[in-house]
Structure formats: C-alpha cells, structure tokens
Amino acid sequence: MPAPTECPPFRLGESRFDQGSFYGRLRHFLDVIDPRTLFVSEKRLNECMKLLDQFRNGTLPPSVTNVQLWEAQKIKQAIIHPDTGEKIPMPFRMSGFVPFGTPVVVGLLLPNQTFASTIFWQWLNQSHNACVNYCNRNASKPTPMSKLFQGYLGAVSSAVTIAVGLNLLIKRAEHFSPATRILVQRFIPFPAVASANVCNVLLMRHTELSEGICVLDDKGNVVGTSKLAARHALIETSLTRVVLPMPVLLLPPLIMATLERLPLLQKRPRLGLPVHSMVCLCAFGLALPVAISLFPQNSQIHVSELEPEIAAATECKILTYNKGL
C-alpha cells in the first residue's frame, strides 16, 4: 500500500502531484505523456469512466482505493477530451506525442538535408504540432478555424523560411570545412522550430493584448481583466516555447557528433540511422517532460505592474494569472 504522501486523497479534475514544485510538475507530465495509456482497451476505459461517475454521484463502492481513482482519472484524461467528451485520435494524444513525434524529430535532425527534405520535415513537424494543439485545445470557447489556420500558416512559413535560409547561408560559407558544415547544419532545426513556436503564439493569442486576461487573488477569485498581464503572459509563453525544444533538438546533434567518432560507427556507417533514432527517442522521452516542468502554468505579478483599476479592486499585493504553455 503506497504511503499517504505518495497517494493523496483523490480530487476530481485536479492533479495528483503538487504543481507548485518542479518535482511535482515533472511527475504530473510524466503521467500525461505516459505511452502505456495508448494501449488501454475500450472495456478498461469504460470501467474508469464508470468509477469517476460513481465518485461524482457519491455511489462509489467502499472497496475502491485512491490509487484506483487516480489511475482511472489518468486514463480518462489521456483519451477523452475534457470539453467535447470525444476520444482524441491516438497520434494526437499527449501520450502519443513522443512515439509519434520521434520519427519527425529524427527526420528534422538528419544530416546532409536537401532543400526539399528540409521543407518537408519542417512542414510535417508543424502539421503534427498543429493537429496535437487542435485535438487538445480548449473547446469551451470555440476558436474560429480561420484563426487556427492563420497560426498554422505562420508557423509553417517561419519554420521553412528560417531553415532554408540558414541552410543556404551555410552552404555558401566557404570557410567551413565539410565536417563543420554538416555539424552546423544539424543545429538548424532548433532556430527554425523555436521561431515557428513564437510566431504561432503571437498569431493565435494576439487578441489577448486588446482584450486582456483574468487575474486572480490568493483565494482564486477573479479580480479583473488586465491587458498588462496579457503582455507578460505572451512574453513568458514565447520564452517557454523557445526553451522547450532545446533539449530535443540540441542534445542529439551533440551526442551524435561524439558517437560518430567511435570506431564502431566509422566501420559500420549503416548503424548511424538506428543509433540516431535511439538518441532522438531518449532525448524526446526524457528531456521533454523535464523541460516542460521547468515552467509553472500559473505566474504571479505585483499589482503595481497592473492597471490602476485592478490595484484598486483588491487588497492583495500579488495576483496570479494563467500564462498557458
């Protein structure tokens, strides 16, 4: 039986782990991207949903433990969209992000890319991201398809433009040796993906700058709507989107540059692609949840940095807002 600290009393709709600490957020996101939920049967899913309904209605059998309830909620949240109640397609679930996204990362980081392959992998990466974002969107406030398409088009355009432009510059750099040119080219996906992420955030959420976002007091009550908090949120989210792909797109090129000097890979170059794929999978599966966990979703701001009417509406000196990810 797990210790009480390991299995707290069940809370419907809340995280099992403390979101105020890095370790708590790490454990939470490891649960979110757990690929084992991809193999949950329809029967098991229905059992989990029945358990949660019984808890909600107060008809839960006394033999059901907190562990079973937390596991049931984890499975339901991994498969069922919270707003629409529909099943999320397997490739676009958060639990499918690593297994279905790894081949794309491998393609992005392949050496000796042509212009055509660079465009294809950047397009495929942004298309996969767009599908994941759409299938896991907040559907309580419908977003026009034109706005979603605008964000997608902006992300693809910026990613392809930067990737192709940098490739062209490197190929024209005469002072680079062939080995150096290949090494530098491997790092091109990071600035391309990072800039596309920032572009997507700005295009999808620019209306927040004119409409503002909700700020909350220490009891979780809405104090008001702030445009200044929205500006902070967009800056923080943009920085987060730059940092998140760092370990996934920067670690594999560094590791492969070292491994390729080993006699084994020099004698057997055909092993390069399988080893490269394993390195990408490990970096994606291990580094991504660590990177996501660095940033709490809720940020704090002093009332002196907000509009005067917000400061006048509360006695709290520190307010919070959801910056998103």
Side-chain angles (χ1 to χ4, degrees):
M1 185 80 174
T5 53
E6 288 298 314
C7 188
F10 179 71
R11 301 179 301 276
L12 188 66
E14 297 184 28
S15 175
R16 174 177 174 176
F17 307 106
D18 175 25
Q19 296 301 284
S21 69
F22 167 77
Y23 182 60
R25 291 193 297 273
L26 177 61
R27 296 187 69 184
H28 170 73
F29 284 114
L30 286 173
D31 257 6
V32 169
I33 67 169
D34 186 353
R36 291 177 297 177
T37 58
L38 294 171
F39 304 101
V40 171
S41 66
E42 191 72 24
K43 179 183 177 183
R44 174 71 175 131
L45 174 61
N46 290 332
E47 289 173 354
C48 292
M49 295 175 69
K50 182 181 178 181
L51 268 184
L52 296 174
D53 286 339
Q54 288 175 330
F55 178 87
R56 186 183 293 106
N57 298 329
T59 58
L60 193 70
S63 59
V64 177
T65 64
N66 285 315
V67 174
Q68 290 173 296
L69 287 169
W70 285 119
E71 185 66 18
Q73 178 165 268
K74 170 184 171 178
I75 290 171
K76 181 186 176 183
Q77 288 179 343
I79 299 173
I80 304 296
H81 193 287
D83 297 327
T84 65
E86 298 174 354
K87 290 178 72 171
I88 300 170
M90 191 180 290
F92 308 132
R93 296 174 192 169
M94 293 309 299
S95 54
F97 195 60
V98 171
F100 288 98
T102 297
V104 180
V105 173
V106 172
L108 282 171
L109 297 176
L110 286 174
N112 298 317
Q113 297 258 16
T114 64
F115 286 128
S117 66
T118 298
I119 292 171
F120 170 75
W121 288 113
Q122 290 292 343
W123 166 79
L124 187 61
N125 179 55
Q126 294 305 324
S127 298
H128 180 250
N129 289 343
C131 290
V132 171
N133 291 338
Y134 177 76
C135 290
N136 294 276
R137 72 197 184 283
N138 183 340
S140 59
K141 292 178 67 177
T143 304
M145 285 303 295
S146 58
K147 189 174 181 180
L148 294 172
F149 184 72
Q150 184 185 38
Y152 168 67
L153 194 62
V156 172
S157 301
S158 59
V160 169
T161 301
I162 290 176
V164 170
L166 289 176
N167 262 318
L168 196 60
L169 284 174
I170 291 167
K171 287 185 176 181
R172 289 181 176 177
E174 297 177 357
H175 58 282
F176 283 163
S177 67
T180 304
R181 186 176 286 110
I182 290 173
L183 179 62
V184 173
Q185 281 180 319
R186 281 179 161 172
F187 290 98
I188 286 177
F190 170 68
V193 170
S195 63
N197 289 347
V198 172
C199 183
N200 183 265
V201 170
L202 297 178
L203 287 172
M204 292 292 290
R205 295 176 55 182
H206 68 90
T207 53
E208 293 178 11
L209 294 173
S210 56
E211 297 174 2
I213 59 173
C214 293
V215 288
L216 313 174
D217 61 19
D218 54 2
K219 295 180 180 177
N221 299 316
V222 176
V223 175
T225 303
S226 170
K227 296 177 183 177
L228 294 174
R231 188 174 67 181
H232 280 271
L234 283 185
I235 293 172
E236 290 174 7
T237 304
S238 297
L239 290 173
T240 302
R241 293 288 187 93
V242 170
V243 173
L244 287 184
M246 276 187 179
V248 180
L249 297 178
L250 295 183
L251 283 178
L254 290 172
I255 294 170
M256 286 305 298
T258 303
L259 293 179
E260 285 170 355
R261 295 194 187 102
L262 297 177
L264 178 64
L265 288 185
Q266 288 182 349
K267 291 178 182 178
R268 296 180 175 86
R270 289 184 179 179
L271 291 176
L273 183 58
V275 171
H276 182 211
S277 301
M278 285 303 300
V279 168
C280 290
L281 178 61
C282 292
F284 207 179
L286 299 176
L288 183 66
V290 172
I292 298 174
S293 304
L294 291 173
F295 304 97
Q297 197 161 347
N298 292 320
S299 292
Q300 295 184 330
I301 189 169
H302 197 277
V303 289
S304 61
E305 298 181 60
L306 300 175
E307 293 87 345
E309 58 268 25
I310 297 289
T314 180
E315 296 179 355
C316 292
K317 297 300 180 185
I318 303 293
L319 301 180
T320 61
Y321 59 90
N322 188 317
K323 68 178 180 62
L325 272 178

PDB file of all heavy atoms in Angstrom, residues 132-146:
ATOM      1  N   VAL A 132      -1.917  18.199 -32.877  1.00  0.00           N
ATOM      2  CA  VAL A 132      -1.884  17.958 -31.429  1.00  0.00           C
ATOM      3  C   VAL A 132      -2.540  19.122 -30.695  1.00  0.00           C
ATOM      4  O   VAL A 132      -3.364  18.925 -29.786  1.00  0.00           O
ATOM      5  CB  VAL A 132      -0.434  17.748 -30.936  1.00  0.00           C
ATOM      6  CG1 VAL A 132      -0.389  17.714 -29.406  1.00  0.00           C
ATOM      7  CG2 VAL A 132       0.132  16.451 -31.500  1.00  0.00           C
ATOM      8  N   ASN A 133      -2.189  20.357 -31.086  1.00  0.00           N
ATOM      9  CA  ASN A 133      -2.767  21.534 -30.444  1.00  0.00           C
ATOM     10  C   ASN A 133      -4.280  21.598 -30.652  1.00  0.00           C
ATOM     11  O   ASN A 133      -5.032  21.929 -29.724  1.00  0.00           O
ATOM     12  CB  ASN A 133      -2.114  22.810 -30.992  1.00  0.00           C
ATOM     13  CG  ASN A 133      -0.664  22.951 -30.566  1.00  0.00           C
ATOM     14  OD1 ASN A 133      -0.241  22.366 -29.570  1.00  0.00           O
ATOM     15  ND2 ASN A 133       0.107  23.711 -31.323  1.00  0.00           N
ATOM     16  N   TYR A 134      -4.731  21.276 -31.867  1.00  0.00           N
ATOM     17  CA  TYR A 134      -6.167  21.339 -32.151  1.00  0.00           C
ATOM     18  C   TYR A 134      -6.938  20.279 -31.367  1.00  0.00           C
ATOM     19  O   TYR A 134      -7.993  20.564 -30.783  1.00  0.00           O
ATOM     20  CB  TYR A 134      -6.419  21.158 -33.648  1.00  0.00           C
ATOM     21  CG  TYR A 134      -7.895  21.149 -33.993  1.00  0.00           C
ATOM     22  CD1 TYR A 134      -8.621  22.332 -34.025  1.00  0.00           C
ATOM     23  CD2 TYR A 134      -8.554  19.952 -34.270  1.00  0.00           C
ATOM     24  CE1 TYR A 134      -9.975  22.328 -34.327  1.00  0.00           C
ATOM     25  CE2 TYR A 134      -9.906  19.938 -34.570  1.00  0.00           C
ATOM     26  CZ  TYR A 134     -10.614  21.129 -34.595  1.00  0.00           C
ATOM     27  OH  TYR A 134     -11.956  21.113 -34.875  1.00  0.00           O
ATOM     28  N   CYS A 135      -6.413  19.058 -31.348  1.00  0.00           N
ATOM     29  CA  CYS A 135      -7.119  17.954 -30.670  1.00  0.00           C
ATOM     30  C   CYS A 135      -7.109  18.106 -29.153  1.00  0.00           C
ATOM     31  O   CYS A 135      -7.934  17.486 -28.468  1.00  0.00           O
ATOM     32  CB  CYS A 135      -6.499  16.619 -31.066  1.00  0.00           C
ATOM     33  SG  CYS A 135      -6.816  16.157 -32.772  1.00  0.00           S
ATOM     34  N   ASN A 136      -6.191  18.921 -28.607  1.00  0.00           N
ATOM     35  CA  ASN A 136      -6.122  19.138 -27.154  1.00  0.00           C
ATOM     36  C   ASN A 136      -6.467  20.588 -26.799  1.00  0.00           C
ATOM     37  O   ASN A 136      -6.120  21.057 -25.713  1.00  0.00           O
ATOM     38  CB  ASN A 136      -4.727  18.791 -26.643  1.00  0.00           C
ATOM     39  CG  ASN A 136      -4.413  17.317 -26.775  1.00  0.00           C
ATOM     40  OD1 ASN A 136      -4.771  16.507 -25.938  1.00  0.00           O
ATOM     41  ND2 ASN A 136      -3.736  16.947 -27.870  1.00  0.00           N
ATOM     42  N   ARG A 137      -7.176  21.281 -27.693  1.00  0.00           N
ATOM     43  CA  ARG A 137      -7.493  22.692 -27.492  1.00  0.00           C
ATOM     44  C   ARG A 137      -8.530  22.867 -26.383  1.00  0.00           C
ATOM     45  O   ARG A 137      -9.199  21.903 -25.984  1.00  0.00           O
ATOM     46  CB  ARG A 137      -8.060  23.276 -28.791  1.00  0.00           C
ATOM     47  CG  ARG A 137      -9.466  22.781 -29.117  1.00  0.00           C
ATOM     48  CD  ARG A 137      -9.841  23.032 -30.548  1.00  0.00           C
ATOM     49  NE  ARG A 137     -11.217  22.636 -30.829  1.00  0.00           N
ATOM     50  CZ  ARG A 137     -11.626  21.384 -30.995  1.00  0.00           C
ATOM     51  NH1 ARG A 137     -10.779  20.383 -30.852  1.00  0.00           N
ATOM     52  NH2 ARG A 137     -12.891  21.116 -31.262  1.00  0.00           N
ATOM     53  N   ASN A 138      -8.668  24.105 -25.915  1.00  0.00           N
ATOM     54  CA  ASN A 138      -9.753  24.458 -25.011  1.00  0.00           C
ATOM     55  C   ASN A 138     -11.002  24.681 -25.848  1.00  0.00           C
ATOM     56  O   ASN A 138     -11.125  25.695 -26.535  1.00  0.00           O
ATOM     57  CB  ASN A 138      -9.385  25.732 -24.227  1.00  0.00           C
ATOM     58  CG  ASN A 138     -10.457  26.107 -23.206  1.00  0.00           C
ATOM     59  OD1 ASN A 138     -11.606  25.683 -23.290  1.00  0.00           O
ATOM     60  ND2 ASN A 138     -10.079  26.904 -22.225  1.00  0.00           N
ATOM     61  N   ALA A 139     -11.919  23.720 -25.827  1.00  0.00           N
ATOM     62  CA  ALA A 139     -13.111  23.781 -26.670  1.00  0.00           C
ATOM     63  C   ALA A 139     -14.295  24.445 -25.972  1.00  0.00           C
ATOM     64  O   ALA A 139     -15.388  24.510 -26.526  1.00  0.00           O
ATOM     65  CB  ALA A 139     -13.502  22.374 -27.130  1.00  0.00           C
ATOM     66  N   SER A 140     -14.082  24.947 -24.733  1.00  0.00           N
ATOM     67  CA  SER A 140     -15.173  25.624 -24.037  1.00  0.00           C
ATOM     68  C   SER A 140     -15.456  26.992 -24.670  1.00  0.00           C
ATOM     69  O   SER A 140     -16.556  27.513 -24.598  1.00  0.00           O
ATOM     70  CB  SER A 140     -14.833  25.792 -22.547  1.00  0.00           C
ATOM     71  OG  SER A 140     -13.645  26.553 -22.382  1.00  0.00           O
ATOM     72  N   LYS A 141     -14.388  27.589 -25.282  1.00  0.00           N
ATOM     73  CA  LYS A 141     -14.552  28.842 -26.029  1.00  0.00           C
ATOM     74  C   LYS A 141     -14.110  28.565 -27.465  1.00  0.00           C
ATOM     75  O   LYS A 141     -12.914  28.506 -27.746  1.00  0.00           O
ATOM     76  CB  LYS A 141     -13.700  29.958 -25.414  1.00  0.00           C
ATOM     77  CG  LYS A 141     -14.172  30.405 -24.047  1.00  0.00           C
ATOM     78  CD  LYS A 141     -13.251  31.466 -23.479  1.00  0.00           C
ATOM     79  CE  LYS A 141     -13.325  32.744 -24.281  1.00  0.00           C
ATOM     80  NZ  LYS A 141     -12.472  33.818 -23.688  1.00  0.00           N
ATOM     81  N   PRO A 142     -15.044  28.344 -28.368  1.00  0.00           N
ATOM     82  CA  PRO A 142     -14.706  27.966 -29.747  1.00  0.00           C
ATOM     83  C   PRO A 142     -13.769  28.973 -30.415  1.00  0.00           C
ATOM     84  O   PRO A 142     -13.976  30.183 -30.324  1.00  0.00           O
ATOM     85  CB  PRO A 142     -16.069  27.933 -30.449  1.00  0.00           C
ATOM     86  CG  PRO A 142     -17.064  27.746 -29.349  1.00  0.00           C
ATOM     87  CD  PRO A 142     -16.496  28.436 -28.159  1.00  0.00           C
ATOM     88  N   THR A 143     -12.743  28.453 -31.075  1.00  0.00           N
ATOM     89  CA  THR A 143     -11.803  29.282 -31.829  1.00  0.00           C
ATOM     90  C   THR A 143     -12.116  29.154 -33.316  1.00  0.00           C
ATOM     91  O   THR A 143     -12.223  28.038 -33.819  1.00  0.00           O
ATOM     92  CB  THR A 143     -10.350  28.817 -31.573  1.00  0.00           C
ATOM     93  OG1 THR A 143     -10.096  28.846 -30.170  1.00  0.00           O
ATOM     94  CG2 THR A 143      -9.359  29.719 -32.285  1.00  0.00           C
ATOM     95  N   PRO A 144     -12.282  30.277 -34.014  1.00  0.00           N
ATOM     96  CA  PRO A 144     -12.590  30.202 -35.454  1.00  0.00           C
ATOM     97  C   PRO A 144     -11.498  29.448 -36.210  1.00  0.00           C
ATOM     98  O   PRO A 144     -10.310  29.580 -35.905  1.00  0.00           O
ATOM     99  CB  PRO A 144     -12.635  31.679 -35.878  1.00  0.00           C
ATOM    100  CG  PRO A 144     -12.841  32.450 -34.620  1.00  0.00           C
ATOM    101  CD  PRO A 144     -12.205  31.665 -33.532  1.00  0.00           C
ATOM    102  N   MET A 145     -11.907  28.655 -37.190  1.00  0.00           N
ATOM    103  CA  MET A 145     -10.944  27.898 -37.988  1.00  0.00           C
ATOM    104  C   MET A 145      -9.980  28.828 -38.716  1.00  0.00           C
ATOM    105  O   MET A 145      -8.823  28.482 -38.950  1.00  0.00           O
ATOM    106  CB  MET A 145     -11.677  27.014 -38.995  1.00  0.00           C
ATOM    107  CG  MET A 145     -12.336  25.782 -38.399  1.00  0.00           C
ATOM    108  SD  MET A 145     -11.179  24.705 -37.517  1.00  0.00           S
ATOM    109  CE  MET A 145     -10.134  24.163 -38.864  1.00  0.00           C
ATOM    110  N   SER A 146     -10.453  30.034 -39.067  1.00  0.00           N
ATOM    111  CA  SER A 146      -9.581  30.990 -39.759  1.00  0.00           C
ATOM    112  C   SER A 146      -8.401  31.385 -38.875  1.00  0.00           C
ATOM    113  O   SER A 146      -7.274  31.554 -39.353  1.00  0.00           O
ATOM    114  CB  SER A 146     -10.378  32.240 -40.149  1.00  0.00           C
ATOM    115  OG  SER A 146     -10.950  32.843 -39.005  1.00  0.00           O
TER     116      SER A 146
END
